Amino acid sequence: MARRKMDKEFLKAGEILYKYFNEKYGEGNYGIPEIISEMINTFMLQERNAKLKLNEIDDVGNGFFKRSVNSSYGKLNLDVPRTRNNLFRSSLLPEKYKRMDQTYIDMIMNLLLSGNSKSMIKKYSFCL
């Protein structure tokens, strides 16, 4: 019985997410990059709020800034939460000034090692 209840709760969460993405992006106008971006945005906001609430940093929330990160799932458009004194940095972001994660770099290296030309690699990375 516990399994059936969990399935119903999971389906309910799925319905809520489906409705959210259709309202925000339009029906069928979103994919894995948009879903992952929204998840990361939510986790970063919760991380900042938790650190502020626990007084790990002596600061206050102060909006967001835009940042794009290339990943093996495609380009992720993120709304990174910030604080007034810039004391918060999310643990989910790559190193400062990096715009791609390690899996994206590994994918490019594998394409190079497989004998693909630079123009073919450009086409692959553009499709992401």
Side-chain angles (χ1 to χ4, degrees):
M1 184 176 299
R3 173 82 176 158
R4 173 164 254 148
K5 183 178 181 188
M6 184 176 77
D7 289 346
K8 285 182 180 179
E9 289 174 3
F10 191 73
L11 286 172
K12 183 67 176 167
E15 289 173 14
I16 292 168
L17 288 171
Y18 179 76
K19 184 178 178 184
Y20 170 80
F21 281 102
N22 280 331
E23 287 175 1
K24 183 166 184 176
Y25 296 101
E27 192 163 340
N29 291 329
Y30 56 90
I32 301 251
E34 290 79 16
I35 293 169
I36 292 174
S37 294
E38 291 290 335
M39 288 174 52
I40 292 173
N41 288 340
T42 301
F43 288 135
M44 287 190 300
L45 180 60
Q46 293 303 320
E47 182 183 15
R48 181 192 71 181
N49 291 345
K51 288 186 183 237
L52 291 173
K53 189 174 184 179
L54 295 172
N55 293 322
E56 287 185 22
I57 53 177
D58 187 27
D59 209 346
V60 294
N62 189 29
F64 303 86
F65 66 90
K66 300 259 184 222
R67 176 144 185 217
S68 63
V69 175
N70 292 323
S71 77
S72 57
Y73 299 106
K75 185 177 181 181
L76 305 178
N77 296 310
L78 304 176
D79 295 321
V80 181
R82 65 180 175 205
T83 59
R84 183 160 293 152
N85 297 323
N86 290 323
L87 297 176
F88 170 73
R89 176 159 175 77
S90 176
S91 61
L92 297 175
L93 290 174
E95 291 177 39
K96 204 169 187 178
Y97 306 115
K98 279 200 169 183
R99 297 285 188 223
M100 56 191 76
D101 67 0
Q102 189 60 44
T103 57
Y104 185 80
I105 294 168
D106 292 343
M107 181 190 70
I108 298 296
M109 292 303 292
N110 284 329
L111 288 170
L112 271 172
L113 294 173
S114 299
N116 289 292
S117 67
K118 287 182 183 179
S119 62
M120 194 58 117
I121 292 171
K122 247 185 188 176
K123 285 182 185 177
Y124 284 131
S125 60
F126 181 74
C127 290
L128 294 176

